Each structure stands twice: as C-alpha cells, then as structure tokens.
C-alpha cells in the first residue's frame, strides 16, 4: 500500500534524479527521498555519477535524525552488489528503515535482486505505479534492461556524400573541432568505447574521453577493441589509461553479452566501415549519431557504410529521425532504432 | 541629386518589394513608388510574378493624378524590352515622369539599358546609394547578374549514406511526400528545370511544377534536357506542358550562356549522378539543396555524387552550410557556394 504522501515523494525523487547537474551517463540517474512515519521529509539524495555515493547512501548520510521506522522512496531498485561503492541493501538494513518504495526494477546483470533481499529481511517493499515516468529518466538504461544488453550508440563522421576518407585514406579531420568536442561528451556519457583493431591501428586512436577543458577524465569509459590484427605496443591506446579489453573476434552478440555481464550498460561505437556495417546489419544498434561535414569527397572516397544487403528500396534500413542540429559548421542527425518486443 | 524624401521613398520601395505575398522567383521582386514634385506619395506598385504587370506599370496604373513632372523611385532599373508585358521605359516616357531613381542596375542580357534610354530622352536618371539593401531583396538575381549567367541550384534527394537508388535501381520514393511538395515550391521559384535525357528516360519524369493544391501551375518553368539519348515520344515530358528545350551535348558553360541570353535567370537542376557530378566539378553551382531520408542503402546502392577528382581530404569540395531543417521525416541541408569575384 502506497500513501498519497509517498506518491508525492516519488514525484520528488523523480525530479531529484532529473537534476541537470547529474551526468546523463554512464550510470543511471537516481533520486531518493526518506520520509518519517508521518510522511514528513527527513532527507534527500541523488547519485552524481561513477565512483560517487548511490542516491540511497547519499540520502541516508544526509539524514539528521534516526531512521528507525522510516520509509525510503527511490527511483531505482537498491543494488545488492559492491561496485565502486558498498551495496545499498546493506546500508538500508543497517539504517533501521522498514519500508522501501521503488520506482523501477533493476534488471541489470549485477544490480538486480536488491528488493527481494530487503523483503526477505522483513522490510516492506513496494513497487510504485509510476514506472513509465521513472523509465523516462534514463531512457537508454531502461532500453538496456529491456533488451538485457548494453544500449548501443553508433557514431559516424562523414562528408555530406557519406564518405569517411578521401581516396588516399586521409580523414583527419572531416568534422569541425566543435563536433569533435561533442564526441568527447558522448564518450563521457558511455561506459564503453568500442572500436576495431584496424581502426585503432590506422588512426592510432586513444579513444579516451576529455572534459570541456580538454583534460582527460579521471574516470574513463572502458575501451574495447574487436579483431585479430595486432596493435603495435607503441600505439596510443596502450600508452594512456587503463588497458583496453580486446576480443579477438567479431561475434557481436557474445561481446555485448559479456560486457553486460560485466555491468557495462552503454556502448559508444567509433569504428571503421566494416564494424559499422556489421553492427547495422546485426540489428544491435539502438541509436545512430551521424555527423556530416559540409564537404564532398566523391565516390573515390571511402564509404562509411558498406554492403547492407539491400536489394531494393523497400528493403532499405529504416531509422527513426530524432533530431537534427548544427554543430559548428557540421550537422548532427540523431536517429533511433526502437527495440522490438 | 537625391533628396531625403526620395531616399525614404526608396526604403519604402524596398519594403514593397519584400512583401511576403510576392513570389520569390523566378522573376526578381521589385517595388516602385511615385512622388509628386513636392515629394508627396502619388502611388505604389509591385510585381506579382511572371505574366503580371511590372512594378513600374502597376504604379503608373495605380496613380489617380496626372504624372507630368513626377518622380519614380524603383528598386530595379526599368526594362527596355517587351517580354510577356510591354517595356517599362515606354510607359514611363508616355506618363510625363521626368525623374527616375533606380535602386539596382539591371545587367541581365535583355533587361539592361533602360536607364540609358530614359536619360537620352531627357529624363533625370539617378542610381540611389542603397544598392546593398536592394541587392539583398533578390540575392539569387543579384548573383546571376554578377556572374552573367543564371543562378544555379542543385537538388539532391538521397539516403543518409548518400545513395539515390538501391542496387536494383529502385528510387521511388526515397524522400517523403513533404519533401517532394517542397521540391515543387523550388520548381515554382525557378525559371528553368534542368535534367538529363538519361534521367528523364529512366524516371519518366515530367519535371512540371505543382502548387500547394497539387494542381499544375498555369505558367510553368521552362524544362531543359541535356544529352544525346533519345527520349521516347510516349514519355511524360512530351505529353504535358510546353515542349522542353533539348541540348544534345553537355557543354554546361554554353548551355548556361544560351539560357541567360534567353532571359532565364534561375535554374533548378534535378538530374542523375553524372550531370550532378559534372556540375559540381564545373564550379557552376551556386546552391545545393540536399534532402536526406532517414534510411540506409549501403554501398551497393547508386552513389549520388561520382568521381570529383578529390585525391586527399585537403582537396575536398567545401560548401558553406546555410541552413538545416527537418521536412517531414527528412532533412534538408542548404549549402551555398559563393561567387568568386
């Protein structure tokens, strides 16, 4: 049974989660409110991104009063695992809270099961009826849980005629510095940057994320490289940051399953035409981020998208345009591919 | 010598020319004001597009008083030729007006020389100092006069990856009905629709312009087709409208020179990859109108742009992005290529 005061508190927790200062990824945004037995606010908490306290811990720490008999209202099911921080379930049990209202079930590989553990320990656990509103806080995270694999965004940067390099292979830089800065924001919001050995070798790409001051982020997305080509140890990907994960194959389903099991929820792909095309054919792409520079390279340039197996117009790959915006002199078209139930 | 009242009248004529009801093409938008000897307004006139009175004639007709000794203030040099309407110079001489203030010199092949004829007949002719403001009323017309050939707009309609047809040649329709309706507006604003015999044969395109009710326009742009391939007489281009002009060659400079000499000021190109690429290589394109549908066709599809002779990224064809907008589910990117002085 959920009271009107608790329902209002869930709306409040949703608003806290949506705080514009909270990073949009790679961790889901979570808001938490603690109420006393009479439904009065005791404290609030939210999650500020990887490495910082989860919203539940933050709310418990922020409380000035004793929490015995209190109610926690939280947008996402409390975790039952120790990641970079301790498990929330443990902290809740210790606090004396005896009722937990949850906005959205956590069905990630590692995060799930917190509600069941709490219930077994005698805590009243209720899922609120506001699931759609809560899912909308972190649309990519909700999609990832629905499909039980990471949300996959595919970035392309091409000329207006769809080429990623001129005839001689030159490609630095097709897009403007404004577009490249935005790519760093996309990297920052992702838990994985995925590329292929060929692209890493050819571009000597570090695939690291930088902040708006162009400094390397302290907590970097994990870099993942697919393929059998040997990357020289002198390449930048080995010189800077934590070593990349290398999968010596292109079995995309198994790579994504493995990353999901390792608690990675969102992947940004920055790869060459072969991996890009394989992903488009696989149906695993959730979102396409396509930067186009106002230049033409002609058909002697390298095509961004190779053979999709499209024989006739009716069989074209259809995407859902979501937004189009100018980024410096370039255009960014964002397209989404809905998950088939 | 131009008086303050006459200068104010020129600003008024500019505003009249910019009337949103006035078609943006294919004829230039022109505004006209007639003042009496004391600088009081006698009448106003504007040009409502092909086949209707020129602004000068309209202003003379609108005047209630005798015009002997009056001053005409007009944004564009009065014409000296009989097109679909009589020459303005003749009407001005008949009216008794004895001073004409001109905003912009007409240097089209046929329209030019009106000012000189008026001056020879004893009329005081003055060019106003507001030429930049006046040029901006009809930017495409001003560019055409500067380059002494028609303003050339190139339309493309492709998939996101720059393909105009799937592997089997199917291309109807890549873009949405909203985009295709907008193309009819672009046709309406042009004096020429240019294509190639190949495209006309393959698509059986009529290249006629329709209004927003999908009815054929009464006054159509002239259709021009380049190439040697024989178009069957049963094709739509011969069945409807005035016969197309056919040039059995691809000498683009001479075609544009000939069209300019025939008083055509603006060309919309809707052609296949070969003519499109030849035009891009020729440097004759002033503006690119690129529709992109949110679909992918892959590299087995037909490329919109063929070999541009670009060896390396530095030599890419650089365009100036002017605007990007969503048209239905499609994107329209407009790019301009400045005229080199």
């Amino acid at each position: 049974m959920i009271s009107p005061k608790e329902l209002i508190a869930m709306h409040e927790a949703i608003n806290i989660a949506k705080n514009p200062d909270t990073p949009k990824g790679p961790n889901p945004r979570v808001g938490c409110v603690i109420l006393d037995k009479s439904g009065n606010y005791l404290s609030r908490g939210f999650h500020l991104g990887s490495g910082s306290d989860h919203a539940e811990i933050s709310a418990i720490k922020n409380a000035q009063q004793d929490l015995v008999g209190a109610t926690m209202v939280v947008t996402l099911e409390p975790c039952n695992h120790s990641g970079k921080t301790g498990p929330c379930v443990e902290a809740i049990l210790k606090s004396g809270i005896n009722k937990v209202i949850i906005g959205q079930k956590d069905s990630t590989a590692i995060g799930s099961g917190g509600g069941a553990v709490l219930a077994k320990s005698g805590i009243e656990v209720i899922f609120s009826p506001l699931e759609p509103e809560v899912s909308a806080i972190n649309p990519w995270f909700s999609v990832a849980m629905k499909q039980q694999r990471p949300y996959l965004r595919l970035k392309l940067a091409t000329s207006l005629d769809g080429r990623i390099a001129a005839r001689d292979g030159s490609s630095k830089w097709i897009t403007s510095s404004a577009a490249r800065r935005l790519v760093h924001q996309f990297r920052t919001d992702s838990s994985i940057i995925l590329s292929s050995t060929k692209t890493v070798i050819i571009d000597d790409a570090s695939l690291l994320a930088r902040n708006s001051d162009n400094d390397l982020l302290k907590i970097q997305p994990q870099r993942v490289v697919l393929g059998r080509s040997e990357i020289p140890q002198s390449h930048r990907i080995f010189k800077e940051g934590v070593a990349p994960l290398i999968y010596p194959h292109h079995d995309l389903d198994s790579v994504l399953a493995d990353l999901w099991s390792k608690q990675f929820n969102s992947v940004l792909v920055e790869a060459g035409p072969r991996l890009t095309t394989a992903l488009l054919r696989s149906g695993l792409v959730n979102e396409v981020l396509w930067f186009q520079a106002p230049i033409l390279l002609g058909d002697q340039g390298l095509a961004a998208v190779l053979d999709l197996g499209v024989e006739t117009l009716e069989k074209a790959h259809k995407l859902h345009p979501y937004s189009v915006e100018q980024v410096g002199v370039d255009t960014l078209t964002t397209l989404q591919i809905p998950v088939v139930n």
Side-chain angles (χ1 to χ4, degrees), chain A:
Chain A
M1 181 69 191
I2 184 165
S3 73
K5 281 189 177 173
E6 288 162 350
L7 207 59
I8 291 167
M10 181 58 80
H11 279 292
E12 167 78 4
I14 291 170
N15 283 336
I16 291 170
K18 285 180 177 168
N19 187 318
D21 293 339
T22 311
K24 292 200 172 171
N27 287 19
R29 299 185 292 174
V30 181
C32 183
V33 167
I34 301 178
L35 305 176
D36 69 14
K37 288 174 195 172
S38 313
N40 301 312
Y41 283 82
L42 292 178
S43 73
R44 293 168 177 80
F46 52 92
H47 177 48
L48 269 178
S50 190
S52 67
D53 283 338
H54 281 191
E56 300 92 318
I57 307 290
S58 158
I60 290 170
K61 284 185 181 171
N62 287 339
Q64 308 290 320
Q65 293 96 326
D66 186 62
L67 296 181
V68 172
T71 295
M72 175 177 277
V73 179
V74 60
T75 55
L76 182 64
E77 184 177 3
C79 71
N80 188 31
H81 68 96
S82 293
K84 289 164 187 154
T85 57
C88 293
V89 160
E90 203 174 285
I92 293 168
L93 291 173
K94 268 190 198 159
S95 71
I97 286 170
N98 67 1
K99 184 175 183 183
V100 176
I101 297 168
I102 298 172
Q104 181 179 26
K105 195 169 164 52
D106 185 343
S107 53
T108 58
I110 281 188
S112 67
V117 173
L118 289 171
K120 266 192 199 162
S121 309
I123 290 188
E124 186 184 3
V125 174
I126 300 177
F127 284 86
S128 98
L130 294 176
E131 206 277 341
E133 289 84 345
V134 178
S135 295
I137 302 171
N138 304 294
W140 61 270
F141 180 69
S142 304
V143 169
M145 290 199 300
K146 189 171 179 182
Q147 65 189 11
Q148 287 289 305
R149 56 176 170 78
Y151 187 81
L152 198 145
R153 297 191 296 173
L154 176 64
K155 186 216 88 179
L156 294 99
T158 73
S159 64
L160 202 55
D161 56 338
R163 309 285 164 176
I164 60 154
R167 185 205 295 252
D168 68 352
S170 53
S171 66
K172 279 185 186 171
W173 297 101
I174 282 190
T175 50
S176 64
S177 58
R180 301 200 309 275
R181 271 198 302 277
L182 189 53
V183 170
H184 280 280
Q185 184 58 53
F186 293 140
R187 288 184 184 174
T188 302
D189 294 343
S190 303
S191 49
I192 293 285
I193 311 298
L194 182 74
S195 194
S196 65
T197 48
K198 284 232 163 102
T199 298
V200 168
I201 293 168
I202 293 171
D203 293 352
D204 192 9
S206 81
L207 301 176
L208 291 168
R210 293 176 179 275
N211 64 19
S212 52
D213 294 330
N214 207 33
D215 296 326
L216 287 173
L217 296 190
K218 280 178 192 153
I219 299 179
Q220 288 282 339
Q222 175 65 51
R223 297 168 296 171
V224 173
V225 188
L226 309 190
R228 281 187 220 281
S229 307
E230 194 161 341
I231 306 169
Q233 286 297 320
S234 59
H235 266 46
R236 290 175 63 206
I237 199 155
F238 292 125
K239 295 258 176 171
E240 298 167 321
V242 176
L245 281 175
I246 298 182
Y247 293 87
H249 59 77
H250 282 87
D251 181 346
L252 299 166
D253 280 303
S254 89
V255 168
L256 290 180
D258 192 54
L259 293 175
W260 180 246
S261 77
K262 292 185 161 89
Q263 209 194 339
F264 294 112
N265 301 327
S266 62
V267 174
L268 177 68
V269 181
E270 301 187 60
R274 282 170 52 157
L275 183 51
T276 292
T277 304
L279 278 164
L280 287 167
R281 290 189 79 143
S282 74
L284 295 166
V285 177
N286 294 111
E287 194 173 323
V288 174
L289 305 163
W290 196 311
F291 290 94
Q292 285 182 312
I295 62 169
L296 298 172
L297 289 169
D299 72 351
Q300 306 297 300
L302 188 56
V305 179
L306 305 178
D307 187 1
L308 291 174
V310 172
E311 286 295 328
T312 189
L313 185 59
E314 274 189 8
K315 303 286 185 189
H317 280 235
K318 290 169 190 69
L319 311 175
H320 292 240
Y322 181 73
S323 69
V324 53
E325 57 188 300
Q326 280 185 291
V327 180
V329 296
D330 304 317
T331 299
L332 168 60
T333 308
T334 305
L335 306 107
Q336 291 182 324
I337 304 172
V339 181
V340 180
N341 280 300

